Amino acid sequence: MKVVIVGGGAGGISTASNIRKLDKEIEITVLTRDNKVAYSPCAIPYVLSGKIESFDDIIMRTPEDYKEKDIDVITEVEVTEVDSDKKTVTYEKNGKKTVMDYDKLVLATGGNPFVPPMQGVELDGVFRIRNIDDGMRVQEAMKDAKSAIVTGAGLIGIEIAYALKQQGLDVILSEMLPQIVPRSLDKDMSDILVKYLEMEGIQVVLGKPITKLIGETKVEKACFGDEEIYDADMVIMATGVRAELDLARMAGCEIGRWAILVNDRMETSVEDVYAVGDCVESKDLILGSNTISQLGTTAVRESKTLARTICGKKSKFNPVLNSMVSKVGKLEFGAVGYTTSFAQQNRIRPVVQKVQALTRARYYPNAKPMDIKVICDGNGTIIGCQIIAEERVAERIDTMTLAITEGLTCFDLSNMEFAYAPPVSMVTDPLILAVEEVSKKFN
Amino acid sequence: MKVVIVGGGAGGISTASNIRKLDKEIEITVLTRDNKVAYSPCAIPYVLSGKIESFDDIIMRTPEDYKEKDIDVITEVEVTEVDSDKKTVTYEKNGKKTVMDYDKLVLATGGNPFVPPMQGVELDGVFRIRNIDDGMRVQEAMKDAKSAIVTGAGLIGIEIAYALKQQGLDVILSEMLPQIVPRSLDKDMSDILVKYLEMEGIQVVLGKPITKLIGETKVEKACFGDEEIYDADMVIMATGVRAELDLARMAGCEIGRWAILVNDRMETSVEDVYAVGDCVESKDLILGSNTISQLGTTAVRESKTLARTICGKKSKFNPVLNSMVSKVGKLEFGAVGYTTSFAQQNRIRPVVQKVQALTRARYYPNAKPMDIKVICDGNGTIIGCQIIAEERVAERIDTMTLAITEGLTCFDLSNMEFAYAPPVSMVTDPLILAVEEVSKKFN
């Protein structure tokens, strides 16, 4: 059997590795546009900030390493055609076209940074971050730059803004919505982050889209709304990612609102064509409707399911909650499930409580404040949680992910056992304080 | 209504506070042998180590603070009699006897350090750690001491041994069993801790009980087994805690194998007599049999249930898993549920896997090794987990506590979503690696 995988990102390359773990015989070819594979794009901002020394450090494996596993990785190719009747893909490398047969085709085409149509986006000094080469270009450009504007205050935008500030640039972080991290955080929680970013010297401009970029050949200024004009030696467009769907359309795959439709075995609507990663839709665990989960972890988890499907084993990908975490400077912030406004948009009347606790016993040195917000539906079932602190956020998000997955109410969780020692927690865990408080709203 | 609480530890004092939160009218009296209340005994080792500056820091409230909440705390009393027919308690303070009526009596008598009968235990320089005064005595004694033996390598023993080492003493930690933390860790996991303690300069002597202590008026030497004799200016007996049951017996309460029997509302077998904390037995979540859970968190959680019971509200205390965590020097270690040998003793054939992972992405600076052991029953249902690392242990234990409480299998958990960012986790969480590995044993 011959499996051809289009895309060398987390979804594609993990699918290749996972198939190989299950089966030594299957022929596996990965076709990728990039010249590098097996790196974590999530790490790009940390290289830019100087926290990680070099881009080389974040490359986990080379195409040669995959050769050793008998996985053929062909880099710097453009796949131009898919024919799902004849079961072929056509790709171009160095101007030369090759037609390749497949028994099973995996579309791991990922996403492209979405750049709103706007005057000046084609100027030099305007960047988007899709891959490691983009990261290198930004790294090069920031050496001569004094000021930067990062537009789009999702995770990547915030992380890049912080990185550039660390490198001594004057940085503006701009977001057209009235808050940062709108997908995962409520405004009051995101305000804690804004305050921190401002304390670190980043200027945060909310509620105003960039309307044009100004410059001769190189960007010099950005215009916010109608009148506000800021200088900028470089502009990073971190305005989101759109699934890349051209090949999926060519193959005849059914496309949903945002991306390729797959079932819980990662099969598309076309026989022997599968899809994985940022280019597919997932099921939302709470509502059961479709959603988009463009996270590295989701891609990696999907790749395990897909490898089992391809190898003829029992497989099932579960609905997602889009559990996330990030760290910017000292602050770790994470979230899972629905925000208050997302719940409202979906006709859930959320019952919400925010508490502040500590990461250690009150009397233990270096106890840090921890802000927690818990969101329940009208029955007390937990549907969301957001946490910000200098430490110990990620695993608490994981606990809440498990609680939501299991359908627990705030009353259930209030009774749960938590491990305690003065250096690592409060005798009543911050999560328990939060769910106890929200429980009171149901009395 | 008048509630009399005997005992001012976590169970007793929290019961008082929690009753007051629910009801402003109930008369509440707490009778305690100590001269201090509302401190965390778990913090004593960290004061001894110098990490926390003074014992004053760990006292959260004074009897006067309770007065303000209309809770009468009477310190330094010995309760000598309980008459559950007449509903009275008799206590002595400053040689004077007082008889006090109650409508409801709470026994929060806690536990006493168990000291094995042995020649020399009455010598000066031999200590046990029950309360803050014991801590102060050890603090005073260690100023002049050059060497110490801590016997009993449970949490308190290890923490105290490390504290004394931090203060520059030569320290021997001894345990009659062939491993440390036998209640919570498998031997191979506890060996990681032993190695660390030894690296920190603590001599660990396993598998040999102390048979006698030698000295004139003050301890000078300890004898291990028949022949081995070590010098010691001080000896700490950390050989466990036994529930204090005299008053419970006097009241006619049914006593189990280790402690007072209570139902899930914290009611004893005697009407209007309740019990809470280290002096009661709990239900074991996995087997449903009785167990003993002498943890501060358990006492605090029980006190919430008991307060609701006393105030006539719906209340239920759930079975326990004895989830624990501690930190000694750099190392954080935690566990929940059954060890391999405890499972075997209870006729469960455990399926066990140990993995080593990292606390951050491989390429991120300061990623620390994390050792995880997962224990399942024959069906793959998770029944135990042990984790050791320099960071981020406690919350992962909490996630596993929730997983065990919900009856999840290793296969279920393998599919779970975890939050990821390079500075705080691996793209596949260490817990997932562990449950994936143990899952393979069921193929």
Side-chain angles (χ1 to χ4, degrees):
Chain A
M1 179 163 70
K2 179 163 182 180
V3 174
V4 174
I5 298 169
V6 183
I13 207 79
S14 302
T15 300
S17 297
N18 285 318
I19 292 172
R20 182 56 76 234
K21 279 182 203 160
L22 295 171
D23 188 301
K24 300 289 160 228
E25 303 303 324
I26 293 175
E27 247 183 88
I28 308 171
T29 306
V30 178
L31 302 172
T32 173
R33 193 186 273 165
D34 284 349
N35 57 7
K36 292 174 196 71
V37 290
Y39 61 88
S40 173
C42 315
I44 292 172
Y46 302 102
V47 181
L48 293 178
S49 75
K51 187 80 193 174
I52 298 172
E53 216 169 283
S54 122
F55 281 108
D56 292 340
D57 294 339
I58 67 171
I59 299 170
M60 312 298 276
R61 283 188 197 84
T62 62
E64 291 69 44
D65 295 332
Y66 286 97
K67 201 75 170 176
E68 278 175 31
K69 296 189 193 186
D70 204 17
I71 294 169
D72 194 19
V73 177
I74 310 180
T75 58
E76 293 170 279
V77 303
E78 196 65 44
V79 176
T80 52
E81 269 175 68
V82 171
D83 188 326
S84 57
D85 291 327
K86 293 191 191 146
K87 298 178 92 170
T88 58
V89 294
T90 306
Y91 66 84
E92 271 188 44
K93 183 172 167 112
N94 303 327
K96 192 180 144 241
K97 277 200 180 196
T98 307
V99 178
M100 185 179 260
D101 293 334
Y102 69 78
D103 294 309
K104 297 191 183 276
L105 175 67
V106 174
L107 297 173
T109 45
N112 281 315
F114 167 71
V115 176
M118 176 199 311
Q119 186 188 317
V121 282
E122 74 299 338
L123 288 169
D124 284 351
V126 179
F127 301 90
R128 56 212 76 182
I129 307 277
R130 194 183 67 92
N131 58 27
I132 212 164
D133 287 335
D134 295 326
M136 286 173 171
R137 278 190 280 272
V138 170
Q139 196 178 41
E140 195 51 39
M142 75 189 182
K143 288 178 189 163
D144 300 319
K146 289 211 169 51
S147 61
I149 293 174
V150 179
T151 182
L155 298 191
I156 289 286
I158 292 174
E159 289 162 5
I160 298 273
Y162 183 80
L164 295 175
K165 186 71 208 172
Q166 287 295 101
Q167 296 291 351
L169 277 71
D170 288 332
V171 178
I172 294 173
L173 173 65
S174 92
E175 166 61 49
M176 57 179 278
L177 294 174
Q179 69 160 96
I180 66 172
V181 208
R183 171 137 194 200
S184 303
L185 297 181
D186 281 10
K187 180 160 190 329
D188 57 345
M189 293 297 280
S190 77
D191 284 345
I192 297 170
L193 276 180
V194 168
K195 211 173 139 188
Y196 174 72
L197 293 172
E198 288 177 341
M199 212 179 66
E200 292 287 315
I202 294 168
Q203 186 179 346
V204 181
V205 178
L206 297 175
K208 287 183 197 125
I210 291 190
T211 43
K212 61 179 171 190
L213 300 175
I214 302 161
E216 292 277 313
T217 56
K218 197 171 158 306
V219 71
E220 286 164 29
K221 295 170 196 301
C223 182
F224 290 67
D226 280 343
E227 66 271 64
E228 283 178 60
I229 291 181
Y230 293 92
D231 288 343
D233 298 329
M234 54 196 294
V235 172
I236 318 282
M237 308 297 297
T239 32
V241 166
R242 297 275 165 95
E244 187 169 313
L245 302 172
D246 292 353
L247 297 179
R249 288 204 174 93
M250 218 180 276
C253 299
E254 218 177 304
I255 308 289
R257 184 166 163 196
W258 302 283
I260 305 171
L261 294 179
V262 290
N263 63 16
D264 60 9
R265 307 191 69 215
M266 309 310 296
E267 296 166 330
T268 70
S269 60
V270 177
E271 214 185 332
D272 292 326
V273 180
Y274 307 83
V276 69
D278 285 2
C279 61
V280 307
E281 295 191 2
S282 307
K283 281 266 174 295
D284 174 305
L285 189 135
I286 296 170
L287 285 175
S289 52
N290 270 21
T291 184
I292 188 114
S293 176
Q294 293 172 327
L295 296 166
T297 38
T298 301
V300 168
R301 296 192 308 116
E302 285 169 346
S303 77
K304 291 176 190 170
T305 302
L306 176 51
R308 293 183 63 86
T309 301
I310 286 174
C311 296
K313 291 182 184 288
K314 203 181 139 198
S315 66
K316 183 174 189 307
F317 188 73
N318 290 329
V320 298
L321 285 168
N322 288 324
S323 159
M324 60 68 60
V325 67
S326 177
K327 192 168 185 185
V328 177
K330 279 189 192 169
L331 271 198
E332 192 173 327
F333 60 99
V336 56
Y338 289 2
T339 60
T340 302
S341 64
F342 191 83
Q344 285 160 340
Q345 283 156 31
N346 287 282
R347 289 183 227 159
I348 294 168
R349 189 180 298 191
V351 180
V352 177
Q353 182 68 47
K354 191 175 150 204
V355 301
Q356 193 175 67
L358 292 171
T359 59
R360 307 174 189 207
R362 222 192 311 166
Y363 48 78
Y364 201 88
N366 294 317
K368 312 282 187 191
M370 173 172 272
D371 291 282
I372 303 187
K373 192 160 190 176
V374 174
I375 296 154
C376 295
D377 71 10
N379 304 314
T381 303
I382 303 166
I383 57 169
C385 179
Q386 301 161 33
I387 311 181
I388 304 179
E390 288 187 24
E391 54 183 5
R392 296 183 177 274
V393 169
E395 299 83 354
R396 284 197 171 89
I397 290 294
D398 294 337
T399 302
M400 292 306 269
T401 302
L402 188 49
I404 298 174
T405 304
E406 291 297 303
L408 297 193
T409 63
C410 53
F411 324 114
D412 297 329
L413 198 62
S414 300
N415 284 318
M416 211 193 83
E417 204 173 329
F418 274 71
Y420 161 67
V424 301
S425 61
M426 298 172 76
V427 65
T428 298
D429 192 87
L431 280 183
I432 296 292
L433 290 177
V435 290
E436 280 182 348
E437 282 308 307
V438 76
S439 296
K440 288 180 188 165
K441 299 200 167 176
F442 292 90
N443 285 341
Chain B
M1 180 163 69
K2 179 165 181 178
V3 175
V4 174
I5 298 169
V6 182
I13 207 80
S14 301
T15 300
S17 296
N18 284 318
I19 292 173
R20 181 57 76 232
K21 279 181 201 160
L22 295 171
D23 188 301
K24 302 289 163 229
E25 302 301 325
I26 293 175
E27 247 182 88
I28 308 171
T29 304
V30 178
L31 302 171
T32 173
R33 195 186 270 164
D34 284 349
N35 58 7
K36 293 175 196 69
V37 289
Y39 61 87
S40 173
C42 316
I44 291 172
Y46 302 101
V47 181
L48 293 177
S49 75
K51 187 81 192 174
I52 298 172
E53 215 168 286
S54 124
F55 281 109
D56 292 340
D57 293 340
I58 67 171
I59 299 170
M60 312 298 276
R61 283 188 196 83
T62 62
E64 292 69 44
D65 294 332
Y66 286 97
K67 201 72 165 182
E68 277 176 31
K69 295 189 192 185
D70 203 18
I71 294 169
D72 194 19
V73 177
I74 309 179
T75 59
E76 293 170 280
V77 302
E78 196 64 45
V79 176
T80 52
E81 269 175 69
V82 170
D83 188 325
S84 56
D85 292 327
K86 292 192 194 148
K87 299 180 87 168
T88 58
V89 294
T90 306
Y91 66 85
E92 272 188 45
K93 182 170 169 116
N94 303 327
K96 191 181 144 243
K97 277 199 181 196
T98 306
V99 178
M100 186 178 260
D101 292 334
Y102 69 79
D103 295 308
K104 300 193 183 273
L105 175 66
V106 174
L107 297 173
T109 46
N112 281 315
F114 166 71
V115 177
M118 174 200 311
Q119 186 187 317
V121 282
E122 73 300 337
L123 288 169
D124 284 351
V126 180
F127 301 91
R128 57 214 74 183
I129 307 276
R130 195 183 67 90
N131 59 29
I132 212 164
D133 287 335
D134 296 326
M136 285 173 172
R137 278 189 282 271
V138 169
Q139 195 178 41
E140 194 51 38
M142 75 188 183
K143 288 180 189 161
D144 301 318
K146 290 211 167 50
S147 62
I149 293 174
V150 180
T151 183
L155 297 192
I156 288 285
I158 293 173
E159 289 162 5
I160 297 274
Y162 182 81
L164 295 174
K165 185 71 207 171
Q166 288 295 99
Q167 295 291 352
L169 277 72
D170 289 332
V171 177
I172 295 173
L173 173 65
S174 93
E175 166 61 49
M176 57 180 279
L177 294 174
Q179 70 160 97
I180 66 172
V181 208
R183 171 139 194 200
S184 303
L185 297 181
D186 281 9
K187 183 164 188 326
D188 57 345
M189 293 296 281
S190 75
D191 284 346
I192 298 170
L193 276 180
V194 168
K195 210 172 140 189
Y196 175 73
L197 293 171
E198 287 176 342
M199 212 179 67
E200 291 289 315
I202 295 168
Q203 186 179 347
V204 182
V205 178
L206 298 176
K208 286 180 196 129
I210 290 189
T211 45
K212 62 179 170 193
L213 300 175
I214 302 160
E216 293 276 315
T217 57
K218 197 173 157 309
V219 71
E220 288 164 28
K221 294 168 196 299
C223 184
F224 289 67
D226 281 344
E227 67 269 64
E228 283 177 61
I229 291 180
Y230 293 92
D231 288 343
D233 298 330
M234 54 195 294
V235 173
I236 318 282
M237 308 298 297
T239 33
V241 166
R242 297 275 166 96
E244 188 169 313
L245 302 171
D246 292 352
L247 297 180
R249 287 202 174 94
M250 218 180 277
C253 300
E254 221 178 303
I255 308 289
R257 185 167 163 196
W258 302 282
I260 305 170
L261 295 178
V262 289
N263 63 15
D264 60 10
R265 307 192 70 215
M266 309 310 295
E267 295 167 330
T268 70
S269 60
V270 177
E271 213 185 333
D272 292 326
V273 179
Y274 309 83
V276 69
D278 286 1
C279 62
V280 306
E281 295 191 2
S282 307
K283 281 268 175 291
D284 173 307
L285 188 135
I286 295 170
L287 285 175
S289 52
N290 270 23
T291 185
I292 187 113
S293 176
Q294 292 173 326
L295 296 166
T297 37
T298 302
V300 168
R301 295 192 310 117
E302 286 170 346
S303 77
K304 290 176 189 170
T305 302
L306 176 50
R308 294 184 62 87
T309 301
I310 286 174
C311 296
K313 292 183 183 288
K314 205 181 140 197
S315 66
K316 184 174 188 306
F317 189 73
N318 290 330
V320 299
L321 285 169
N322 287 323
S323 158
M324 59 68 59
V325 68
S326 177
K327 191 167 187 187
V328 177
K330 278 189 191 169
L331 272 198
E332 192 174 327
F333 60 100
V336 56
Y338 289 4
T339 61
T340 302
S341 63
F342 191 83
Q344 286 161 340
Q345 284 157 31
N346 287 283
R347 289 183 225 159
I348 295 169
R349 189 179 299 192
V351 179
V352 177
Q353 182 67 47
K354 193 177 148 203
V355 301
Q356 192 175 68
L358 292 171
T359 58
R360 306 174 190 208
R362 223 194 307 169
Y363 49 77
Y364 200 88
N366 294 318
K368 312 283 186 189
M370 173 172 274
D371 290 282
I372 304 187
K373 192 161 190 176
V374 174
I375 297 153
C376 295
D377 71 10
N379 303 315
T381 303
I382 303 166
I383 58 169
C385 179
Q386 301 161 33
I387 311 181
I388 304 179
E390 287 187 23
E391 54 183 6
R392 296 183 176 274
V393 169
E395 298 83 355
R396 284 196 170 88
I397 290 295
D398 294 336
T399 301
M400 292 305 268
T401 302
L402 188 49
I404 298 174
T405 304
E406 291 297 304
L408 296 193
T409 62
C410 51
F411 324 116
D412 297 330
L413 198 61
S414 300
N415 285 318
M416 210 193 85
E417 202 174 331
F418 274 70
Y420 162 66
V424 301
S425 62
M426 298 172 75
V427 65
T428 298
D429 193 87
L431 281 183
I432 296 292
L433 290 177
V435 290
E436 280 182 348
E437 282 308 305
V438 76
S439 296
K440 289 180 187 164
K441 299 199 167 177
F442 292 89
N443 285 343

